[in-house]
Amino acid sequence: MKKKHLSLLFLCLMTTLSTFAQRAQTLALDSTANRLFMEKNYEKSLAIRKIQLNRLKSEVGDSSYDYIMRLIQVGKCYYRMMQPEKAEEAAQQVVDLYGQYKSTSDEEYAFALDNLALYQGSLKKSAEGLKNAEKALEIYQNFYKHNHDIAIMYAHVAELAHDNGDNAKAIRQELMSLNVFKNLYGEHSEDYISEARYLQKYYEANGDKEKAKALADRLETLEKETKEGVVDLPKPMEFTSDAVAHEHNNDARRCAEYYLTHYINANKMNDAAAYIMAWSQATSDSHVVIGENEGKLINNSKTLCYGVAYIAGCSLYALKTGMADFTFDTFQSAMVDMLNFYNANKKITGEVKYLEQYVKAYGKGADNLVALLKKNFPGNLTEELITRIKNGEKVKIQK
């Protein structure tokens, strides 16, 4: 009796493993479909998505999260293939399925509604599109996110309101969108300038000719200044807590990107450096290990700029990946950023012996550079270790 039971258990296990393997193969089609989509080969990407959806429907059903998320990509393919009717049909299915089986109040549902509104707008269904776009925005506002996504939602509501003949509403919503873009990227960013053209259009449609002209003049000035290298950065500030630092993660990213991509004599380098140093000391979103070698860079006025570049690189890696813990990947990414910065600036500062060894190693091949980085890696630093250190413990950072 036991033998039969064990055999049955083994059979069930094999069936489960087989199902998992089949599911993995189905989900693995993502990489091919995504690659084709990025290559703008939308027809082939769509064909793979359809195969994937048929498999998922039989494996886990059309109520599954995996199925619904892949259905979104079908709509995107149709939209870029200039078939908005089919794109709308797919997007409506996503809204219906997600609303029925998952939620009608979370972020994913808001994105699905906004996506549907976009397709409806392209079909001149401005009234339906506006209704869905406003509903999407209303849901997403509950999460209090001052990010790129909400800026796009404001912009979609504005465009659909304009198409629906309500230019006053279009202006209000576009101003909200631009306020977010300004805070995120600055007035000299491509995101802000390109979006502001729509506000100019809405002013003109609303009969506000003076405002439209003033905005056009302002945009001309911004474009000229941008070509001359003007960039908007936040002013250095004191971060009184980790929570305050977290609120300014996007500003920290902007400062790190600016610092690593400009010469040390650029006009806002001091502000960027001050911001990075203050933020990195206050935040728990990026743990930075200052090894003996990096410490020497920071403690020497001649090489301090490269120490800041190292901290900027660590911070940027953490912000881009969402990985706060300091690992070899963090170290490698930060060092590569710093070395690129060094190569661009060493004519100004002169050569630095410690950094030249990396340049020479890379000249002998990428493997040599990685080997040297592993040799000099100061060690891992995790959230657990940070907590223990704050509690007064003495801990050893492990390589």
Side-chain angles (χ1 to χ4, degrees):
M1 192 71 176
K2 284 186 178 180
K3 186 177 180 181
K4 288 183 179 179
H5 176 72
L6 290 173
S7 297
L8 179 61
L9 178 64
F10 180 72
L11 179 61
C12 291
L13 178 61
M14 291 300 294
T15 302
T16 302
L17 291 175
S18 176
T19 301
F20 282 149
Q22 184 179 3
R23 177 83 176 282
Q25 290 177 353
T26 301
L27 295 178
L29 292 173
D30 276 338
S31 58
T32 303
N34 288 336
R35 176 179 57 79
L36 290 167
F37 188 90
M38 294 300 293
E39 293 172 355
K40 299 183 179 181
N41 193 339
Y42 304 123
E43 290 186 11
K44 287 188 177 179
S45 180
L46 176 62
I48 290 174
R49 288 296 180 195
K50 287 183 175 180
I51 293 172
Q52 188 182 42
L53 283 171
N54 285 333
R55 290 184 184 179
L56 284 170
K57 191 170 185 177
S58 63
E59 292 168 12
V60 293
D62 61 6
S63 63
S64 72
Y65 182 83
D66 286 337
Y67 180 90
I68 298 170
M69 289 301 103
R70 272 70 186 183
L71 187 57
I72 292 174
Q73 300 303 317
V74 168
K76 291 184 176 182
C77 286
Y78 276 130
Y79 184 67
R80 285 159 179 80
M81 291 165 61
M82 304 301 176
Q83 298 184 43
E85 293 87 356
K86 290 186 177 181
E88 181 198 19
E89 181 182 349
Q92 185 66 64
Q93 285 182 314
V94 170
V95 168
D96 293 341
L97 289 171
Y98 198 92
Q100 181 179 354
Y101 296 110
K102 304 302 174 185
S103 173
T104 57
S105 59
D106 67 4
E107 294 180 37
E108 296 289 1
Y109 187 70
F111 292 144
L113 281 171
D114 185 70
N115 209 37
L116 174 59
L118 174 66
Y119 301 154
Q120 289 173 328
S122 69
L123 289 167
K124 306 301 180 185
K125 296 181 179 181
S126 56
E128 294 174 57
L130 179 59
K131 182 179 178 180
N132 284 319
E134 288 182 321
K135 187 176 179 181
L137 179 60
E138 181 183 355
I139 293 170
Y140 198 69
Q141 284 174 324
N142 292 326
F143 299 99
Y144 302 100
K145 291 190 176 182
H146 197 72
N147 58 13
H148 188 94
D149 290 326
I150 199 166
I152 294 298
M153 288 185 178
Y154 280 127
H156 285 168
V157 172
E159 185 171 8
L160 287 160
H162 165 73
D163 292 342
N164 210 39
D166 192 344
N167 290 301
K169 177 181 284 188
I171 291 169
R172 290 195 301 272
Q173 296 299 311
E174 192 61 47
L175 285 169
M176 296 290 287
S177 176
L178 288 172
N179 182 56
V180 177
F181 279 130
K182 180 180 178 179
N183 289 330
L184 288 177
Y185 311 117
E187 284 185 304
H188 291 87
S189 66
E190 175 61 29
D191 293 273
Y192 181 89
I193 293 173
S194 62
E195 192 60 43
R197 294 293 180 196
Y198 289 95
L199 179 58
Q200 180 186 346
K201 173 182 174 181
Y202 305 151
Y203 276 144
E204 291 171 348
N206 202 46
D208 299 330
K209 294 183 179 179
E210 290 185 7
K211 289 183 178 180
K213 177 65 167 58
L215 180 56
D217 292 342
R218 175 60 179 159
L219 291 176
E220 185 178 344
T221 299
L222 289 175
E223 287 182 331
K224 181 181 177 181
E225 291 175 347
T226 300
K227 289 179 181 178
E228 294 171 352
V230 176
V231 176
D232 300 313
L233 288 182
K235 293 293 182 183
M237 62 175 288
E238 180 183 356
F239 298 99
T240 55
S241 68
D242 168 48
V244 173
H246 180 76
E247 290 176 1
H248 292 271
N249 280 4
N250 187 69
D251 289 336
R253 178 190 58 76
R254 285 167 59 195
C255 287
E257 288 176 343
Y258 177 89
Y259 191 90
L260 291 169
T261 56
H262 285 74
Y263 291 113
I264 59 172
N265 53 8
N267 63 350
K268 293 192 177 182
M269 287 297 272
N270 288 337
D271 283 351
Y275 201 99
I276 292 163
M277 297 297 282
W279 179 85
S280 66
Q281 290 175 12
T283 187
S284 65
D285 291 323
S286 172
H287 306 322
V288 181
V289 173
I290 307 294
E292 182 181 353
N293 293 316
E294 294 71 45
K296 289 178 180 178
L297 292 176
I298 292 172
N299 292 323
N300 186 324
S301 59
K302 176 186 173 182
T303 60
L304 173 60
C305 61
Y306 299 121
V308 175
Y310 169 75
I311 294 172
C314 292
S315 302
L316 194 57
Y317 180 84
L319 289 168
K320 285 183 174 180
T321 63
M323 303 292 290
D325 291 348
F326 185 90
T327 64
F328 179 73
D329 288 339
T330 312
F331 179 68
Q332 180 173 253
S333 179
M335 289 297 291
V336 169
D337 283 341
M338 180 177 67
L339 290 170
N340 286 331
F341 180 76
Y342 169 66
N343 281 328
N345 284 285
K346 67 179 178 180
K347 288 183 179 180
I348 301 173
T349 65
E351 291 188 353
V352 178
K353 185 177 179 180
Y354 169 62
L355 299 181
E356 280 298 315
Q357 66 175 317
Y358 289 106
V359 175
K360 291 176 182 178
Y362 182 71
K364 297 177 182 178
D367 290 343
N368 288 280
L369 174 61
V370 173
L372 184 57
L373 288 169
K374 288 181 177 179
K375 178 184 176 182
N376 292 330
F377 175 50
N380 295 290
L381 183 62
T382 64
E383 186 66 45
E384 179 188 354
L385 290 176
I386 289 286
T387 302
R388 290 170 61 189
I389 291 169
K390 288 181 178 179
N391 290 335
E393 289 187 49
K394 291 183 178 180
V395 301
K396 184 177 180 181
I397 299 175
Q398 299 292 328
K399 283 202 174 187

